[in-house]
Amino acid sequence: MTISLDHVNQNHDLLLFNNSFNKELNIYNHSELIKVSTLSNITDFPSNNNYLGLMFNINGELTGKIICILNLTKEQKNQSQLIQLKSIFTESMNILLGNFLTNLESSSSIMSVVSAPKLIESNNIRNSFPAKNSNSKYHFVVQYIMHSLKEKYLCDIYFYANPKNIKEV
Amino acid sequence: MEEAIDTCRILIVDDSDFSRKSISEMLTSQKYKIIGEASNGAEAINILKESETDIAIIDIVMPDISGLELAEFIKHNFRNIQIILISSLAQENIIIDAIAAGANDFIQKPISKNTLISSVEKIFAGMEKKETSK
């Protein structure tokens, strides 16, 4: 399946992106990611502090950012558990996104790389999101469940990107 | 004739401590000795200056000094150390860059234990052959 970024068919591209996300990934037998949704429109954002947040930049033939949000369960976590969870979540998202971009390149020749992740402070998560979805030609959210540390966590991956030659307004 | 190396001395370099610990767990064996773990290039170089190392397992995407830059540095300054580069990204350009940086092998994350051990064994066997043929 090939794609020309100059003549974009939005649905075709989104199907390509969707198929490039792994359905499942086992991360060193300590974490398992399972895809639980197809790509969908971004309609809301995390609104309180009960989340972990990561930001990755994408560079290459796609430029933009990916924000990964983990919904902390209601169970209180001590500092040590939180540190461990952050580390597992960070590496799991890093591996998920690296595999996504690799699969994308394999099926479409779109070459992009992802940066090292940056942790978003929990009280700054909402501000990390762009003011308008429409500033990015491609914007969607996809959901995974992360099984780790004997619990399940819902993870939302928000994707905002433009083809290289289109500047964000 | 020098004695053959019988324990493979390994350095793990990755900004993720979860990744470092997981890789270290996979290499728990009398055949391997983890001589250190580093979260960045500067730490790695300090460890290499102090400890004899056979193989460095290095993540490519790290803040500050990238794994590719670190690999090139090691190849120039610690010529006997063999390198396995790892990354979640595995596009053709990445693999080409890894080889150009001097990597003996490249493994895409998530890393399976079998793949990692197979790579370490192959590289270490090559090193032992060189030692015994001297």
Side-chain angles (χ1 to χ4, degrees):
Chain A
M1 196 187 268
T2 58
I3 181 172
S4 165
L5 292 177
D6 293 330
H7 303 282
V8 172
N9 177 314
Q10 190 85 348
N11 289 338
H12 172 271
D13 299 343
L14 292 177
L15 184 62
L16 194 64
F17 291 146
N18 186 58
N19 292 344
S20 297
F21 277 101
N22 290 67
K23 288 184 182 156
E24 290 180 11
L25 273 172
N26 182 304
I27 317 286
Y28 303 119
N29 290 327
H30 286 298
S31 164
E32 191 172 10
L33 292 173
I34 300 179
K35 191 178 173 202
V36 294
S37 80
T38 54
L39 274 51
S40 52
N41 285 331
I42 298 170
T43 54
D44 58 12
F45 308 96
S47 57
N48 61 42
N49 291 346
N50 207 31
Y51 297 92
L52 295 179
L54 294 169
M55 184 176 308
F56 296 82
N57 291 321
I58 315 166
N59 290 299
E61 291 183 37
L62 290 172
T63 60
K65 63 182 174 184
I66 302 175
I67 299 170
C68 303
I69 303 292
L70 179 144
N71 195 339
L72 289 166
T73 59
K74 289 179 185 169
E75 186 182 321
Q76 289 296 325
K77 292 194 172 5
N78 63 39
Q79 197 57 22
S80 165
Q81 288 171 324
L82 203 53
I83 289 170
Q84 191 180 12
L85 181 60
K86 274 183 193 174
S87 185
I88 294 172
F89 174 54
T90 303
E91 182 66 358
S92 298
M93 292 296 106
N94 174 46
I95 291 174
L96 175 67
L97 297 177
N99 276 262
F100 161 69
L101 291 173
T102 303
N103 295 340
L104 186 65
E105 197 249 4
S106 173
S107 55
S108 70
S109 303
I110 300 173
M111 169 64 185
S112 295
V113 296
V114 67
S115 68
K118 289 180 191 164
L119 200 63
I120 308 172
E121 293 299 324
S122 55
N123 58 4
N124 207 28
I125 286 177
R126 180 61 186 90
N127 295 334
S128 303
F129 287 86
K132 287 185 191 177
N133 288 344
S134 56
N135 287 346
S136 302
K137 193 169 196 74
Y138 303 114
H139 50 271
F140 56 80
V141 60
V142 62
Q143 287 188 321
Y144 278 78
I145 296 282
M146 185 176 88
H147 293 263
S148 187
L149 303 175
K150 298 180 184 174
E151 290 198 36
K152 287 189 217 183
Y153 299 93
L154 182 62
C155 302
D156 294 331
I157 292 109
Y158 297 85
F159 182 97
Y160 300 91
N162 283 309
K164 189 170 61 174
N165 295 328
I166 296 179
K167 287 184 184 170
E168 202 167 310
V169 172
Chain B
M1 190 174 75
E2 289 182 8
E3 283 182 4
I5 307 166
D6 45 355
T7 303
C8 182
R9 298 159 297 190
I10 299 175
L11 169 68
I12 301 169
V13 189
D14 195 314
D15 56 323
S16 161
D17 65 339
F18 169 55
S19 181
R20 293 195 305 273
K21 285 188 175 60
S22 300
I23 292 169
S24 181
E25 272 176 18
M26 291 182 191
L27 296 172
T28 302
S29 158
Q30 285 179 344
K31 286 196 283 186
Y32 314 117
K33 182 180 178 185
I34 307 299
I35 58 96
E37 293 181 20
S39 63
N40 59 57
E43 277 180 22
I45 292 166
N46 284 339
I47 294 172
L48 292 173
K49 284 178 182 171
E50 300 295 325
S51 307
E52 291 292 324
T53 307
D54 299 307
I55 296 177
I57 299 171
I58 303 170
D59 186 26
I60 289 181
V61 179
M62 293 192 291
D64 301 326
I65 305 173
S66 77
L68 294 173
E69 290 167 320
L70 178 59
E72 285 174 1
F73 180 88
I74 291 172
K75 279 296 171 184
H76 279 113
N77 295 284
F78 301 91
R79 288 173 189 268
N80 292 333
I81 297 176
Q82 311 298 296
I83 294 171
I84 298 173
L85 282 172
I86 61 177
S87 179
S88 62
L89 294 161
Q91 297 100 321
E92 196 178 327
N93 285 9
I94 301 288
I95 296 172
I96 290 170
D97 287 347
I99 295 168
N104 299 86
D105 200 0
F106 171 87
I107 304 174
Q108 187 184 13
K109 293 180 175 181
I111 300 169
S112 77
K113 183 174 177 175
N114 287 347
T115 303
L116 180 62
I117 289 182
S118 175
S119 178
V120 168
E121 296 273 304
K122 188 171 73 173
I123 292 170
F124 193 51
M127 294 173 72
E128 284 185 307
K129 264 192 194 167
K130 273 190 194 168
E131 280 296 317
T132 53
S133 67
K134 280 184 183 169

